Amino acid sequence: MFAAATQLVVLLVVLSSCRGRRDDFIDEGIEEIALQSSKFGSLWPLPQNVQISAVSFKLARDTFQIFDAKLSTAGPSCSLLQNAYRRYYEYFFGGVKKTWPLKDEWTDSAGLMGLQVLITDPEPGCEQYPSVTADESYQLFVDQPFAVLKAPKVWGALHGLETFSQLVYEDEFGAKNVNLTSISDFPRFAHRGILLDTSRHFLPVKVILANLETMAMNKFNVFHWHIVDDPSFPYLSRKFPQLSQKGAYHPYTHVYTPADVKMIIEFARLRGIRVIPEFDTPGHTQSWGKGQSDLLTPCFAGSKPSGSFGPVNPILNTTYDFMSQLFQEISIVFPDAYVHLGGDEVDFTCWKSNPDIQRFMEQQGFGQDYGKLESFYIQRLLDIVASTKKGYMIWQEVFDNGVKLKADTLIHVWKGTQQQYQNEMAKVTSSGYQTLLSTPWYLNRIAYGQDWQGHYKADPQDFQGTDEQKKLVIGGEACLWGEYVDATNLTPRLWPRASAVAERLWSAKTVTDISDAYNRLSVHRCRMVERGIPAEPLFSSYCPYEYKGI
Ligand SMILES: *[C@@H]1O[C@H](CO)[C@@H](O)[C@H](O)[C@H]1NC(C)=O
Ligand SMILES: *[C@@H]1O[C@H](CO)[C@@H](O)[C@H](O)[C@H]1NC(C)=O
């Protein structure tokens, strides 16, 4: 009894000293901001041009319709849009069903009857896959009796539906309102991606789909699927089933079957999201070696094989036969015009230890420059992939090592300090290559406090270069590497921190007001929560509809 009381006192002392020290933890350079309402409501990412007036209309749940305009080139047969109408109807009115207020109140004359969707391009895109050149622009006019959403292609219409859903808010009586509004919008960058890593931990399909849905809420349009790596090979290949049979964490429960992959690609397409798979070689391939013998380089200890293996063996013809067949399959399974070929962090130690490789280096006249051997491999791989008619993305090392690249190669910058990545962006673009940035957006790195502000402030066009060079920056990707991430913590770690990147990549360069961003992002985060996404809080606050667990 006495002991318990003492413990309680100690506990109280500890608690109160923790409370008092809260401010010590706030990182330098991070602003603490008071929550206010923004003149842009809860729009996120902020559209290019917005005017919201103080005139508001009510939406009637029972009679409100989303429908195709008579002149729209996408009719009822456009299942992509019909699908989106159903999804967004739910979002407009919230998942939360109410029995009040009374219906009379909603159906007064000052109500908004519906949303009319007008697609203007003769090729609306209903059956197509989104691409880097896709037109994502739209215009939205909210006025009585119907709001009008106008877009050349379905991709813009999808973004416009999301934007409309963000204009809808609940008044004190629980009725849904929207203000008289005019918006004209388009993305600043064409490539706005999220990288998820399904090798270090297997991510269930359900989690991937939930994040695609959340990506659409944030107008991201590329899912960079880092599908295989050293720890596991969950991609079930039709041609080489032994790769996942032996290389996945489990051959049946921890694999992506052809049907899973198909479902993910279609789910993404319906939300205007491209799926770019990454099959990283010649490094990061330990799991490949389990199902494909002779693919990896045997490492030597002195004059004997040590029993361990290094990167892909670049001196065997069988390596290239294998890669040809695998990438042939990949090019068919993944419809996007690009694949990511990795090429990062190749460790030369094992290559150096292997006498066959040493002999090959001599024959080729590479001296001791193992970068040349890497280039030799990558060059041949690029030819293989080019023959499948795909374009490719590669991590910056491939460019740094001087590998000859096709003119349309995308160089993915991920290394270094701010100064270093800005120099790299300048170097890559002055060589005439298109590029995208990830260095400041490694969201797997976490820090106490509002680290989203740092992500928000980074800008991929901030480097020394001409306008011509700046135009070669096609966007960026937020990366969530999987060492410490699986289905238990993926979503709250990613959102709303990735939302900061989303606005940087979509909105105008001049949109940099941190307090306005905080005000909008706080409400946007609550909206994600209301939609069932466990997005973590920015700071002390509450949401009208809190997350209720799974
Ligand atoms: C929408 O209209 C209401 C009611 O007039 C007003 O209080 C609110 O500030 C408006 N919202 C925005 C974002 O302008
Ligand atoms: C590998 O292929 C090249 C070119 O096709 C050929 O000249 C060479 O003999 C082959 N090497 C082996 C070991 O089969």
Side-chain angles (χ1 to χ4, degrees), residues 450-511:
Q450 301 202 26
D451 61 351
W452 70 272
Q453 293 186 17
H455 304 138
Y456 191 73
K457 284 171 184 163
D459 191 303
Q461 282 178 328
D462 281 352
F463 60 85
Q464 294 290 326
T466 61
D467 288 351
E468 205 77 342
Q469 278 174 268
K470 303 288 169 87
K471 283 196 199 115
L472 291 169
V473 180
I474 61 158
E477 289 183 0
C479 301
L480 194 69
W481 295 100
E483 284 87 348
Y484 304 100
V485 174
D486 71 1
T488 62
N489 60 352
L490 182 140
T491 304
R493 188 164 292 196
L494 190 55
W495 308 103
R497 293 161 76 236
S499 303
V501 184
E503 176 148 301
R504 182 55 51 237
L505 294 174
W506 178 281
S507 307
K509 188 174 169 60
T510 50
V511 177

Side-chain angles (χ1 to χ4, degrees), residues 316-483:
L316 299 180
N317 286 352
T318 49
T319 292
Y320 301 100
D321 297 339
F322 166 79
M323 292 295 171
S324 279
Q325 290 187 58
L326 182 66
F327 278 98
Q328 200 75 48
E329 171 180 319
I330 290 165
S331 74
I332 293 163
V333 169
F334 294 91
D336 198 79
Y338 284 86
V339 285
H340 201 303
L341 299 177
D344 58 318
E345 301 183 307
V346 184
D347 181 2
F348 297 148
T349 329
C350 181
W351 280 352
K352 283 179 185 164
S353 75
N354 182 302
D356 295 332
I357 302 246
Q358 289 162 9
R359 207 168 308 121
F360 184 84
M361 292 282 290
E362 249 164 61
Q363 280 165 8
Q364 298 287 326
F366 290 166
Q368 287 303 303
D369 187 352
Y370 284 81
K372 287 202 172 124
L373 182 60
E374 181 189 355
S375 295
F376 172 86
Y377 168 79
I378 300 261
Q379 209 105 60
R380 293 189 65 174
L381 180 67
L382 296 187
D383 289 343
I384 286 168
V385 174
S387 77
T388 68
K389 304 275 183 286
K390 294 281 188 195
Y392 38 77
M393 297 172 64
I394 39 114
W395 296 109
Q396 71 179 77
E397 286 98 316
V398 181
F399 166 81
D400 295 343
N401 293 343
V403 177
K404 199 173 109 238
L405 299 166
K406 277 200 304 175
D408 62 351
T409 305
L410 303 181
I411 319 277
H412 196 165
V413 173
W414 70 279
K415 286 171 78 168
T417 61
Q418 184 179 28
Q419 189 62 54
Q420 285 166 335
Y421 77 68
Q422 290 179 349
N423 290 345
E424 181 78 6
M425 298 289 280
K427 223 166 86 190
V428 168
T429 53
S430 70
S431 308
Y433 291 109
Q434 291 191 310
T435 184
L436 68 158
L437 181 64
S438 279
T439 313
W441 297 320
Y442 267 40
L443 302 187
N444 47 291
R445 291 175 188 276
I446 47 176
Y448 190 82
Q450 301 202 26
D451 61 351
W452 70 272
Q453 293 186 17
H455 304 138
Y456 191 73
K457 284 171 184 163
D459 191 303
Q461 282 178 328
D462 281 352
F463 60 85
Q464 294 290 326
T466 61
D467 288 351
E468 205 77 342
Q469 278 174 268
K470 303 288 169 87
K471 283 196 199 115
L472 291 169
V473 180
I474 61 158
E477 289 183 0
C479 301
L480 194 69
W481 295 100
E483 284 87 348

Side-chain angles (χ1 to χ4, degrees), residues 204-216:
V205 171
K206 218 174 100 177
V207 172
I208 296 178
L209 299 186
N211 278 279
L212 288 167
E213 183 77 12
T214 319
M215 283 171 66

Side-chain angles (χ1 to χ4, degrees), residues 38-41 52-56 169 179:
S38 163
K39 66 174 171 172
F40 301 118
I52 306 180
S53 86
V55 177
S56 70
Y169 61 94
N179 288 17

Side-chain angles (χ1 to χ4, degrees), residues 218-367:
N218 289 272
K219 297 188 170 66
F220 276 108
N221 67 352
V222 175
F223 169 35
H224 174 164
W225 191 353
H226 188 87
I227 189 165
V228 297
D229 203 303
D230 284 326
S232 78
F233 196 106
Y235 171 74
L236 200 165
S237 161
R238 282 185 201 270
K239 266 187 203 143
F240 302 102
Q242 74 278 12
L243 286 170
S244 59
Q245 190 74 31
K246 299 269 173 57
Y249 284 129
H250 187 284
Y252 305 120
T253 58
H254 287 54
V255 294
Y256 301 104
T257 66
D260 291 337
V261 172
K262 218 171 160 169
M263 186 209 289
I264 287 168
I265 292 170
E266 179 62 5
F267 191 94
R269 185 186 81 84
L270 292 174
R271 285 153 185 79
I273 298 169
R274 303 161 55 199
V275 178
I276 300 181
E278 178 181 352
F279 286 83
D280 190 356
T281 67
H284 290 278
T285 45
Q286 289 295 305
S287 67
W288 301 48
K290 294 181 180 157
Q292 187 69 15
S293 54
D294 298 334
L295 178 66
L296 303 185
T297 309
C299 314
F300 277 65
S303 58
K304 289 203 193 84
S306 69
S308 63
F309 293 88
V312 166
N313 193 334
I315 69 170
L316 299 180
N317 286 352
T318 49
T319 292
Y320 301 100
D321 297 339
F322 166 79
M323 292 295 171
S324 279
Q325 290 187 58
L326 182 66
F327 278 98
Q328 200 75 48
E329 171 180 319
I330 290 165
S331 74
I332 293 163
V333 169
F334 294 91
D336 198 79
Y338 284 86
V339 285
H340 201 303
L341 299 177
D344 58 318
E345 301 183 307
V346 184
D347 181 2
F348 297 148
T349 329
C350 181
W351 280 352
K352 283 179 185 164
S353 75
N354 182 302
D356 295 332
I357 302 246
Q358 289 162 9
R359 207 168 308 121
F360 184 84
M361 292 282 290
E362 249 164 61
Q363 280 165 8
Q364 298 287 326
F366 290 166

Side-chain angles (χ1 to χ4, degrees), residues 112-128:
L112 193 72
M113 312 284 288
L115 172 64
Q116 191 177 54
V117 179
L118 173 61
I119 308 294
T120 56
D121 195 288
E123 279 289 339
C126 301
E127 310 297 330
Q128 290 167 0

